Amino acid sequence: MEVAVVFLPLIGALVAGLFGRQIGDKGAVFVTCGLMLLSMVLAIIVFFDVAIGGNPRTTELFTWIDSGTLEASWALRVDSLTAVMLIVVTVVSALVHVYSVGYMHHDTSVPRFMAYLSLFTFSMLMLVTADNFVQMFFGWEGVGLCSYLLIGFWYDRPTANAAAIKAFVVNRVGDFGFALGIMAVFFVFGSVEFDTVFAATPGQVDTVIEFLGMRVNALEVICILLFIGAMGKSAQVPLHTWLPDAMEGPTPVSALIHAATMVTAGVFMVCRLSPMFEFAPTALTIVTVVGGVTAIFAATVAICQNDIKRVIAYSTCSQLGYMFFAAGVSAYGAAMFHLFTHAFFKALLFLCAGSVIHAMSDEQDMRRMGGIWRMIPLTYGLMWIGNLALAGIGIPGVFGFAGFYSKDIILESAWAAHSGVGQFAFWMGIAAALLTAFYSWRLLLLTFHGAPRADEKVMAHVHESPKVMTVPLMVLAAGALFAGILGYPYFVGSQMEAFWGGSIFVLPENNVIEAAHHVPTWVVLAPLVVGLIGIAFAYLLYMARPDLPGRIVAHARGLYLFLYNKWYFDELYDRIFVRPAQMLGYGLWKGGDGAIIDGFGPDGVASASRGLARRFSRLQTGYVYHYAFAMMVGVVILVSWYVWAQGG
């Protein structure tokens, strides 16, 4: 059954991609959506069988690589960790497919778009079902390729092309580290199979290797290199700059990338490799620090953005930081829990934003919105649910939205770690929770409330989205409402050990989730309190006193520009990497390729030939006596040569 879950989206992609012209838009939509929905249903069945029923299994399809000592089979590993990802990927992807039917209705390349979506889903499913490092790398690179195709889907837009190239190049930086890590795994363990490597890891704790001219702990280096790959794919500082630009793609793409597929790959990879990371404390410290820094960095940037999709994009970046520092303090179950709940409310927010953009005639700037909540009440209500889940609002012991349960257990785990990096991550997470609530309600109030700021022509056409777009929103809203309370006992509660089985490994001394259930009351209440403060502050600035934001910006313009320009990371990278690379490339092009290779090669030979031809062409004057003279000279030369030859 898991074979069908993985390969049905691939069949849909091939049919829509290769035969799109023959079957048309409706045929492509029917095939891709139908197969994706079927894959979703089968994934739910697999989830209950494997995760709830406790029947993990590995299905080997064929031997993929057999070269010397390198052996890698193509197999589908389905345990609880994989089963959770199958639910996340297939459910969100199926809903995005259906939503796209309405959102992309007027596009001229619907079959191509639907094929890309299904291929993206297949690549992610291959990644999460991988049974070895090489197979995981195949899915890893497939996801990167599909993100390039989808971000640059509207290839007639220069900004979309630039964003697609940026995402591809930045991810190559991380993927280089990931590839080195896989090579190091094979070098140290002699295998790329997960089970073989995991079983041998405790015996390699003290192994030392040569790396960059230094003798270093092999396991630490391997885990750090693998995490560099996760930093690129999951947009962690400093490899995060591609994520906001990915908004150049259609909104359904943003929802799929940010909620269920590409950006969650890094979190999944770290959790999958927990049997290795648990024996690499330095690597875990780096994961924690990077996650904490990313959580606060992205939240500070989000409060100053005006594009509705960019605000949600930076929110994704921030929430991924939560997931990583949870994994960094060994709370892998909490990281996967937040990944699970985040998929629902973040996909909901993105698709609600798409509904707003659809209603506002493709307008994305929140400064040109406002006053539309009565015109699109369903989207407005669903956006409320998504925001409440993102802000983590709930009443302890009674009911909370999805993010309330998953974000709180992460913060409680960071506190319960009782380490320096754990405390750092906790306070970064608390600060990020305050900012998250603020920018969420800033988005809501600027978009839906206040006086209309769009022109009359746009306001006259504001309308609720069709059912093909709103029904997926309602399904995602149900997840944002109930995924937390339903999943809590299994992911991080009383059923945790039975649920995860052997798919996640935690050393006994690192079991912070158990300790997280016994933290002080103020630690439990702190995220809710700061969340409510953030909401109140947003209401004050954008409803009660809308004049205050402008005055604050005027008094702190330097800080505002620093945050608005994303801490100037793009400008820094442009100066350090892009411009020198351009200058080097230009110099090699003009001075090396043009002047030396072409100058002495094809261009030089051609120039010499033209020169000789030009000189010989001067002999062709058209005068008979010139030709007669040339003939006489030729005769003299021939006779002289003959006489000389005979004399010799």
Side-chain angles (χ1 to χ4, degrees), residues 630-643:
M631 291 172 63
M632 289 177 63
V633 171
V635 170
V636 170
I637 292 174
L638 285 172
V639 170
S640 299
W641 174 79
Y642 179 78
V643 171

mmCIF file of all heavy atoms in Angstrom, residues 630-643:
data_model
loop_
_atom_site.group_PDB
_atom_site.id
_atom_site.type_symbol
_atom_site.label_atom_id
_atom_site.label_comp_id
_atom_site.label_asym_id
_atom_site.label_seq_id
_atom_site.Cartn_x
_atom_site.Cartn_y
_atom_site.Cartn_z
ATOM 1 N N ALA A 630 52.454 37.733 -63.653
ATOM 2 C CA ALA A 630 52.436 36.677 -62.644
ATOM 3 C C ALA A 630 52.736 35.332 -63.284
ATOM 4 O O ALA A 630 53.458 34.490 -62.718
ATOM 5 C CB ALA A 630 51.075 36.653 -61.945
ATOM 6 N N MET A 631 52.188 35.110 -64.493
ATOM 7 C CA MET A 631 52.456 33.855 -65.183
ATOM 8 C C MET A 631 53.939 33.721 -65.526
ATOM 9 O O MET A 631 54.534 32.642 -65.383
ATOM 10 C CB MET A 631 51.617 33.766 -66.465
ATOM 11 C CG MET A 631 50.112 33.611 -66.189
ATOM 12 S SD MET A 631 49.110 33.741 -67.673
ATOM 13 C CE MET A 631 49.723 32.341 -68.576
ATOM 14 N N MET A 632 54.542 34.840 -65.982
ATOM 15 C CA MET A 632 55.967 34.812 -66.314
ATOM 16 C C MET A 632 56.792 34.488 -65.071
ATOM 17 O O MET A 632 57.743 33.689 -65.127
ATOM 18 C CB MET A 632 56.398 36.156 -66.907
ATOM 19 C CG MET A 632 55.855 36.400 -68.317
ATOM 20 S SD MET A 632 56.324 38.015 -68.938
ATOM 21 C CE MET A 632 58.096 37.850 -68.979
ATOM 22 N N VAL A 633 56.438 35.118 -63.963
ATOM 23 C CA VAL A 633 57.159 34.837 -62.714
ATOM 24 C C VAL A 633 57.015 33.372 -62.363
ATOM 25 O O VAL A 633 57.980 32.693 -61.954
ATOM 26 C CB VAL A 633 56.641 35.747 -61.584
ATOM 27 C CG1 VAL A 633 57.228 35.303 -60.241
ATOM 28 C CG2 VAL A 633 56.978 37.197 -61.861
ATOM 29 N N GLY A 634 55.828 32.849 -62.520
ATOM 30 C CA GLY A 634 55.600 31.436 -62.223
ATOM 31 C C GLY A 634 56.420 30.533 -63.113
ATOM 32 O O GLY A 634 57.014 29.538 -62.655
ATOM 33 N N VAL A 635 56.478 30.867 -64.429
ATOM 34 C CA VAL A 635 57.265 30.061 -65.365
ATOM 35 C C VAL A 635 58.737 30.089 -64.982
ATOM 36 O O VAL A 635 59.431 29.058 -64.983
ATOM 37 C CB VAL A 635 57.051 30.559 -66.813
ATOM 38 C CG1 VAL A 635 58.066 29.883 -67.750
ATOM 39 C CG2 VAL A 635 55.636 30.263 -67.269
ATOM 40 N N VAL A 636 59.261 31.291 -64.676
ATOM 41 C CA VAL A 636 60.663 31.419 -64.269
ATOM 42 C C VAL A 636 60.948 30.554 -63.047
ATOM 43 O O VAL A 636 61.971 29.847 -62.973
ATOM 44 C CB VAL A 636 61.015 32.897 -64.006
ATOM 45 C CG1 VAL A 636 62.397 33.007 -63.354
ATOM 46 C CG2 VAL A 636 60.978 33.691 -65.299
ATOM 47 N N ILE A 637 60.035 30.587 -62.077
ATOM 48 C CA ILE A 637 60.234 29.800 -60.848
ATOM 49 C C ILE A 637 60.237 28.319 -61.169
ATOM 50 O O ILE A 637 61.091 27.550 -60.680
ATOM 51 C CB ILE A 637 59.147 30.148 -59.813
ATOM 52 C CG1 ILE A 637 59.326 31.595 -59.315
ATOM 53 C CG2 ILE A 637 59.182 29.168 -58.646
ATOM 54 C CD1 ILE A 637 58.217 32.076 -58.411
ATOM 55 N N LEU A 638 59.291 27.867 -62.000
ATOM 56 C CA LEU A 638 59.218 26.449 -62.338
ATOM 57 C C LEU A 638 60.454 25.991 -63.099
ATOM 58 O O LEU A 638 61.036 24.919 -62.829
ATOM 59 C CB LEU A 638 57.963 26.175 -63.178
ATOM 60 C CG LEU A 638 56.640 26.175 -62.406
ATOM 61 C CD1 LEU A 638 55.464 26.083 -63.379
ATOM 62 C CD2 LEU A 638 56.592 25.016 -61.416
ATOM 63 N N VAL A 639 60.886 26.807 -64.078
ATOM 64 C CA VAL A 639 62.077 26.444 -64.860
ATOM 65 C C VAL A 639 63.303 26.393 -63.958
ATOM 66 O O VAL A 639 64.129 25.471 -64.038
ATOM 67 C CB VAL A 639 62.275 27.441 -66.030
ATOM 68 C CG1 VAL A 639 63.640 27.214 -66.695
ATOM 69 C CG2 VAL A 639 61.163 27.278 -67.055
ATOM 70 N N SER A 640 63.410 27.399 -63.097
ATOM 71 C CA SER A 640 64.564 27.436 -62.186
ATOM 72 C C SER A 640 64.573 26.206 -61.289
ATOM 73 O O SER A 640 65.629 25.587 -61.054
ATOM 74 C CB SER A 640 64.520 28.718 -61.341
ATOM 75 O OG SER A 640 64.575 29.857 -62.161
ATOM 76 N N TRP A 641 63.409 25.869 -60.779
ATOM 77 C CA TRP A 641 63.331 24.678 -59.905
ATOM 78 C C TRP A 641 63.705 23.419 -60.663
ATOM 79 O O TRP A 641 64.420 22.555 -60.167
ATOM 80 C CB TRP A 641 61.905 24.551 -59.348
ATOM 81 C CG TRP A 641 61.713 23.277 -58.566
ATOM 82 C CD1 TRP A 641 62.095 23.012 -57.308
ATOM 83 C CD2 TRP A 641 61.109 22.080 -59.061
ATOM 84 N NE1 TRP A 641 61.774 21.738 -56.946
ATOM 85 C CE2 TRP A 641 61.156 21.123 -58.023
ATOM 86 C CE3 TRP A 641 60.521 21.727 -60.290
ATOM 87 C CZ2 TRP A 641 60.644 19.845 -58.156
ATOM 88 C CZ3 TRP A 641 60.010 20.447 -60.424
ATOM 89 C CH2 TRP A 641 60.080 19.516 -59.357
ATOM 90 N N TYR A 642 63.257 23.320 -61.940
ATOM 91 C CA TYR A 642 63.535 22.127 -62.743
ATOM 92 C C TYR A 642 65.026 21.996 -63.011
ATOM 93 O O TYR A 642 65.610 20.915 -62.873
ATOM 94 C CB TYR A 642 62.739 22.195 -64.049
ATOM 95 C CG TYR A 642 62.983 21.011 -64.952
ATOM 96 C CD1 TYR A 642 62.379 19.784 -64.697
ATOM 97 C CD2 TYR A 642 63.830 21.125 -66.058
ATOM 98 C CE1 TYR A 642 62.614 18.696 -65.521
ATOM 99 C CE2 TYR A 642 64.062 20.040 -66.884
ATOM 100 C CZ TYR A 642 63.454 18.814 -66.602
ATOM 101 O OH TYR A 642 63.707 17.732 -67.429
ATOM 102 N N VAL A 643 65.648 23.137 -63.434
ATOM 103 C CA VAL A 643 67.087 23.123 -63.713
ATOM 104 C C VAL A 643 67.869 22.755 -62.458
ATOM 105 O O VAL A 643 68.813 21.955 -62.486
ATOM 106 C CB VAL A 643 67.541 24.484 -64.275
ATOM 107 C CG1 VAL A 643 69.066 24.556 -64.372
ATOM 108 C CG2 VAL A 643 66.919 24.730 -65.644
#
